[in-house]
C-alpha cells in the first residue's frame, strides 16, 4: 500500500513540477506574451505566483472546513511552524531564481543542475532520521554526475568550438543558491511533518507556508527598491566603461542613450556622472538605467505588482496552481525519509528535452542522453524495493499544544 501511495503522488508531483518549469519559461518569452519586452521583475513574478498558491490553498482549506474538519487542526504548533517559516524564506529566494534563469536559458539546459542537491539527501536522511543508505544510492550519484557531464562531451573532446550548454557566472550562482534552498526545504519538510500537532494535514501546512512566503516577498518588493533608491543603485557616480556600455547603453534606444551621455562623461575607461544634476534629471536617469536591469540585485525586485502586460502573469498564476499541487504532494509524502522518494519526483527531466523540442528549441542528442542518464540515476534506488520496504519516519511527540 505504501508503494501505491508513493507512485500515485509521485506521478502528480512530476506533472506539477514539469508543468511549472515550462510555464515559468513561457512567462519570460516575448513570443508567448504578446511580443513586447518582458518588463516584470522576477520578484514581482514571485509575488503573483505566491498569491496564486495562497488563493488555491485557501479554497482547499475552506472546502475541508465545510466538510467538517475542525479549525484547531489548522494550527501546526510552534516547532512545526518554525520550520515552515525557514522553508518559506528559502522558498522565496529559490522562486526568484526560477524566474531569473528562464529569461536566458531553456529549462532543458539548466533544470538538471538545480537538482544536484539530491545526491546529498541520503546522507542527511541518515544523519537526521537514521534512514538507511543503500548501494543503489551510490550508483545513483555516479549516474547523476555522468548525466550532467554528457551534454558537454562534444566541447570537452574538442568536437565543438563553443559550449552551447555552458552557463554564465550569474546562472551558476543562482544554481548553487537554488540547490541549497531545495536541500534545506526537503530536509525541513520532514521536520515540519514530524513535529506537527496530531490531525494537522498537508493543506494546513501549505497554507502557513504560503502566508509566510507572502510576508517575505511582499516585504522584499516594498523595502528593497527603497534601499536601492537611497543607495543610488541605478545612478552610479562612476562605472567601468565596458560594464556601462554592455548593461545600459546597448539596451536603450538612441534618444535615451543620448540623454544619458549628456550626464555621463567617459574618461580612462570609465564613465563619470557630472556633478550638477537636478532632482528631475536624477529621477529620469534612474528610470532609464533601472529599465535595463543594470543593478543585478536590485533589479530582481523592481517594478509595480500591477504590470502593463498581464499575459506573463497568467502563466505565473497557472504555475501557482501546479505549485500548490506539488507542494501538497510534498507534504503528503514527507512522512517518509526524503531520499526514499524525492529523487523520483524528477522523472519529468527525461521528457523535458522532447517537450522543449516541440516548442522549437534546439535540442541535441547529448542533451537528451544526459537527461535520460540523470533520470535513471534518480530512479535507480527503487531497484531493490522488494527488499527495502518504505517506512514512515518516527513521529516526534510535539512539545507545544
Amino acid at each position: 500500500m505504501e508503494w501505491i501511495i508513493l507512485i500515485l503522488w509521485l506521478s502528480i508531483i512530476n506533472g506539477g513540477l514539469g508543468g511549472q518549469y515550462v510555464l515559468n519559461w513561457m512567462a519570460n518569452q516575448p513570443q508567448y506574451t504578446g511580443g513586447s519586452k518582458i518588463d516584470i521583475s522576477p520578484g514581482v513574478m514571485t509575488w503573483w505566483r505566491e498569491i496564486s498558491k495562497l488563493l488555491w490553498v485557501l479554497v482547499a482549506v475552506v472546502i475541508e472546513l465545510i466538510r467538517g474538519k475542525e479549525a484547531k487542526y489548522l494550527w501546526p504548533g510552534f516547532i512545526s511552524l518554525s520550520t515552515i517559516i525557514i522553508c518559506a524564506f528559502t522558498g522565496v529566494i529559490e522562486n526568484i531564481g526560477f524566474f531569473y534563469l528562464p529569461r536566458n536559458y531553456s529549462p532543458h539546459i539548466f533544470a538538471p543542475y538545480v537538482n544536484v542537491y539530491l545526491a546529498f539527501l541520503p546522507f542527511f536522511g541518515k544523519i537526521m532520521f537514521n534512514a538507511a543508505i543503500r548501494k543503489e544510492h551510490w550508483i545513483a550519484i555516479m549516474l547523476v554526475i555522468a548525466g550532467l557531464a554528457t551534454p558537454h562531451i562534444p566541447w570537452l573532446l574538442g568536437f565543438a568550438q563553443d559550449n552551447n550548454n555552458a552557463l554564465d557566472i550569474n546562472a551558476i550562482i543562482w544554481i548553487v543558491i537554488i540547490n541549497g534552498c531545495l536541500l534545506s526545504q526537503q530536509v525541513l519538510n520532514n521536520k515540519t511533518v514530524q513535529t506537527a500537532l496530531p490531525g494537522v494535514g498537508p493543506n494546513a501546512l501549505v497554507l502557513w507556508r504560503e502566508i509566510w512566503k507572502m510576508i517575505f516577498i511582499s516585504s522584499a518588493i516594498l523595502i528593497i527598491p527603497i534601499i536601492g533608491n537611497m543607495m543610488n543603485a541605478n545612478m552610479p557616480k562612476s562605472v567601468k566603461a565596458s560594464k556601462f556600455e554592455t548593461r545600459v547603453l546597448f539596451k536603450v534606444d538612441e534618444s535615451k542613450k543620448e540623454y544619458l551621455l549628456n550626464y555621463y562623461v567617459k574618461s580612462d575607461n570609465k564613465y563619470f556622472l557630472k556633478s550638477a544634476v537636478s532632482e528631475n534629471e536624477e529621477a529620469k536617469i534612474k528610470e532609464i538605467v533601472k529599465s535595463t536591469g543594470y543593478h543585478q540585485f536590485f533589479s530582481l525586485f523592481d517594478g509595480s505588482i500591477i504590470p502593463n502586460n498581464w499575459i506573463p502573469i497568467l502563466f505565473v498564476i497557472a504555475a501557482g496552481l501546479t505549485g500548490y499541487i506539488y507542494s501538497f504532494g510534498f507534504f503528503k509524502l514527507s512522512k517518509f525519509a526524503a531520499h526514499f522518494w524525492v529523487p523520483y519526483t524528477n522523472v519529468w527531466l527525461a521528457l523535458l528535452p522532447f517537450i522543449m523540442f516541440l516548442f522549437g528549441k534546439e535540442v541535441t542528442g547529448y542533451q537528451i542522453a544526459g537527461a535520460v542518464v540523470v533520470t535513471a540515476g534518480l530512479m535507480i534506488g527503487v531497484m531493490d524495493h522488494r527488499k527495502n520496504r518504505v517506512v514512515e519516519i518516527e513521529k516526534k511527540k510535539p512539545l507545544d499544544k
Side-chain angles (χ1 to χ4, degrees), residues 102-124:
R103 298 196 169 190
N104 303 300
Y105 301 97
S106 173
H108 77 282
I109 292 178
F110 71 81
Y113 294 95
V114 300
N115 293 284
V116 173
Y117 76 97
L118 292 169
F120 297 95
L121 278 178
F123 305 102
F124 280 87

Side-chain angles (χ1 to χ4, degrees), residues 2-18:
E2 291 91 347
W3 280 101
I4 293 175
I5 295 172
L6 276 172
I7 292 170
L8 176 62
W9 273 108
L10 287 173
S11 300
I12 295 172
I13 291 171
N14 268 282
L17 277 171

